Amino acid sequence: MTFDYALGVELSKYDAFEIAEMLDAPRKVHGTEVTKPVYAKDEESGEFLKDENGKKIRIGSKDAHVWHCSLAVESGYGKVPDEQWEKIAASFVEKMGFIDPDGAKSSRWVAVHHGASKNGNDHIHVVVSMVHEDGTKASTHNDFHRAQVACRELETEYGLPRLESQEHGKGLAGEKPAERARAERGNNALSDKFELRRRLRAALSTANSAEEYVRHAQDLGVRVAPSFKTGSNSEVRGYRVSLGERGSDDKGIWYAPSKLDSTLAWNDIHARFGNKDRVAGDAYLVSLHSSNQSRGDRKAVAHPVSAQQLDRMMSHKTGPDTLANIYARLSLQFERGKPATFQQLSESYARAAQGGGNVRYAARLNQRFKAGKGYGWVALAKQAGRLGRVMMQNHMAADRPRFASGVDRLINDAENIVNAEMKRIQAQEAQKVGAPKAPHVPYRDWNAGARPGSGTDQGYER
């Protein structure tokens, strides 16, 4: 390392400029240029376009003077001390082959402790110059595999839980500093990417078709526009979404949902609903082309969870994806503009996603939603918690113990929220009718087995 900043000191933008100059010095001195090819991609699916021979279509090149990745511990582990991160970072770049014992073939690098992410993962960013001290180029061949091997070794050496290397981001998109800054300027708890993901997954939990999904997303304040196949203004390839924010150039900021969450591509949306009413869904998207979707002062409308989703939950056919949708809807119901535990559970199950049913209880639950007194949402949260615990025990505890432990803590927090909501509803009802307050049955064991007899308003399943 050529230069070292004191541990725990917050860097200014001028420090960042200085660090960048130091990293880039060997490239400037030797005049070495490092580039990588740019290939054509489908905007909606993110997949590379190929020619008639099956080869990727190269459309140019771009600078690749640095290599970047982040190292993160699983959420729930807590904070890793700066001193330990310093040792981990130094060991990591050495294991990756960026350090030459003799010095000439070494690359300059920097590690920045970023703190906890939105999902609670303490992490650092590692940036390595791709030009050695002697002017030769560094190699990143097979870097993904090498990074995973290095992480497994570091876990053992430093007694860490699962350490993730994320130089190849897949699944759920993270936020960029500019997006976080924009959210803070607007006093928004979540940046656009996270808020869009919450609203789109909530819309999935309430819809029974692709068209209904788009309409429900619009009702939640999401602007939707179609993406067309090349040379067409009627053949739908996918869709784009926005919260109406504008960038520094005053242009609207739009996102491809598949880039926010790989399971939200338009073809995947159709597949979720068995490709039924596909023509109607595409036609509705086409109708949104260049339409004015400003909501003005209209209040957002959040729909009840669909009968299809309720049936899946009651028949125990629920997977992480369905729970991600349900918790997103619960976040809108309970947390509204201050997303916290339920939103984190939705994100956790969304990441994890990358027998006979109790029909009478499902029907009762549906009636509670229609009654609008709040019991339905409490019962839904209870059922989601039960299924989450069962899923962890049966499928995640052995393969992903730290992940399961983190989700378990979040479910415990959700349990406290729902208990408090149940007390609030009961107190409100008792005050309205002047009746004695019904005894509160603590909702403490989402992992409880089947109970004999008919269900109660506490939402226990038989």
Side-chain angles (χ1 to χ4, degrees):
M1 186 180 292
T2 307
F3 197 89
D4 189 11
Y5 282 81
L7 294 175
V9 174
E10 184 174 345
L11 301 177
S12 69
K13 66 177 182 180
Y14 302 106
D15 293 328
F17 292 149
E18 186 178 8
I19 291 171
E21 284 292 326
M22 288 188 294
L23 283 177
D24 210 26
R27 183 187 69 85
K28 290 184 175 180
V29 168
H30 296 285
T32 307
E33 294 298 319
V34 184
T35 62
K36 64 180 181 181
V38 176
Y39 298 101
K41 281 186 175 182
D42 182 281
E43 291 183 7
E44 169 58 25
S45 67
E47 296 178 354
F48 289 110
L49 300 178
K50 297 181 180 180
D51 59 21
E52 60 275 9
N53 298 317
K55 293 184 178 180
K56 292 186 291 186
I57 302 173
R58 182 169 179 169
I59 57 176
S61 61
K62 64 179 181 180
D63 291 338
H65 300 148
V66 296
W67 181 87
H68 165 258
C69 82
S70 63
L71 299 177
V73 293
E74 290 187 341
S75 60
Y77 177 77
K79 183 178 179 181
V80 177
D82 289 330
E83 294 77 10
Q84 190 170 19
W85 272 130
E86 179 187 18
K87 295 175 182 177
I88 291 170
S91 182
F92 178 73
V93 294
E94 185 174 357
K95 292 176 184 293
M96 289 296 294
F98 294 126
I99 303 300
D100 174 23
D102 296 329
K105 299 292 184 184
S106 285
S107 292
R108 299 187 182 191
W109 62 275
V110 64
V112 179
H113 187 191
H114 224 184
S117 68
K118 270 288 180 182
N119 294 314
N121 307 80
D122 194 27
H123 68 288
I124 61 172
H125 291 267
V126 179
V127 180
V128 183
S129 170
M130 286 291 93
V131 179
H132 293 145
E133 292 293 331
D134 65 357
T136 58
K137 298 179 182 180
S139 172
T140 58
H141 176 67
N142 206 21
D143 57 346
F144 182 79
H145 175 70
R146 285 190 286 146
Q148 298 309 311
V149 171
C151 286
R152 300 296 82 79
E153 293 175 355
L154 289 169
E155 289 167 10
T156 302
E157 293 172 14
Y158 291 94
L160 293 169
R162 189 168 184 82
L163 187 69
E164 297 292 347
S165 165
Q166 297 172 345
E167 72 278 13
H168 291 282
K170 296 180 179 179
L172 302 188
E175 64 183 8
K176 297 178 180 178
E179 294 166 340
R180 176 94 298 268
R182 188 165 57 247
E184 291 173 353
R185 287 196 301 270
N187 293 319
N188 298 319
L190 299 177
S191 63
D192 282 4
K193 286 180 179 177
F194 286 87
E195 184 59 34
L196 280 167
R197 199 151 55 219
R198 180 168 75 136
R199 297 189 195 186
L200 291 176
R201 283 201 167 272
L204 276 176
S205 75
T206 63
N208 290 299
S209 68
E211 179 185 349
E212 200 170 55
Y213 158 69
V214 174
R215 290 183 181 276
H216 288 189
Q218 290 179 294
D219 287 340
L220 292 174
V222 178
R223 298 184 181 184
V224 184
S227 294
F228 296 117
K229 294 181 179 179
T230 304
S232 171
N233 61 359
S234 60
E235 288 187 81
V236 173
R237 178 184 63 190
Y239 66 122
R240 299 175 297 138
V241 293
S242 172
L243 290 175
E245 296 286 346
R246 293 186 175 275
S248 56
D249 57 0
D250 203 36
K251 291 183 178 180
I253 300 174
W254 292 82
Y255 298 89
S258 61
K259 300 293 181 64
L260 303 175
D261 181 329
S262 60
T263 68
L264 296 179
W266 188 236
N267 282 334
D268 290 325
I269 297 299
H270 277 304
R272 288 171 181 271
F273 302 108
N275 286 300
K276 70 174 183 179
D277 302 325
R278 188 180 186 107
V279 173
D282 287 354
Y284 184 67
L285 260 188
V286 172
S287 74
L288 300 178
H289 181 50
S290 300
S291 66
N292 181 8
Q293 299 181 58
S294 176
R295 293 187 60 87
D297 296 326
R298 286 173 59 197
K299 187 176 180 181
V301 177
H303 297 270
V305 173
S306 72
Q308 183 184 57
Q309 296 272 19
L310 292 176
D311 179 66
R312 288 182 62 82
M313 292 186 70
M314 295 312 117
S315 60
H316 285 233
K317 295 177 181 177
T318 307
D321 184 81
T322 300
L323 283 178
N325 301 339
I326 294 296
Y327 276 120
R329 182 63 186 86
L330 287 169
S331 176
L332 292 180
Q333 184 69 24
F334 289 116
E335 298 168 337
R336 301 180 185 273
K338 297 180 179 179
T341 298
F342 289 111
Q343 185 265 340
Q344 292 170 27
L345 278 167
S346 176
E347 289 281 305
S348 294
Y349 280 114
R351 290 184 186 281
Q354 313 277 319
N358 187 340
V359 179
R360 280 175 292 179
Y361 178 61
R364 258 198 328 275
L365 188 53
N366 200 24
Q367 289 300 316
R368 291 175 196 169
F369 282 116
K370 292 178 181 178
K373 295 181 179 179
Y375 286 108
W377 292 110
V378 171
L380 179 67
K382 291 179 179 182
Q383 180 68 358
R386 291 192 197 98
L387 294 175
R389 287 208 192 280
V390 171
M391 191 182 302
M392 283 191 298
Q393 290 178 354
N394 293 347
H395 304 292
M396 297 179 183
D399 297 334
R400 307 183 66 181
R402 293 286 179 176
F403 173 86
S405 177
V407 171
D408 186 61
R409 280 189 288 272
L410 286 172
I411 290 178
N412 285 334
D413 291 341
E415 176 182 322
N416 293 330
I417 293 171
V418 174
N419 271 329
E421 179 67 7
M422 191 67 191
K423 288 181 179 178
R424 186 192 68 78
I425 293 171
Q426 290 176 334
Q428 193 175 55
E429 297 238 316
Q431 188 176 20
K432 281 183 179 179
V433 301
K437 186 186 298 184
H440 173 61
V441 180
Y443 155 44
R444 306 189 65 84
D445 188 7
W446 271 329
N447 194 33
R451 292 172 178 257
S454 60
T456 71
D457 279 343
Q458 296 301 319
Y460 293 115
E461 67 172 318
R462 291 195 301 118

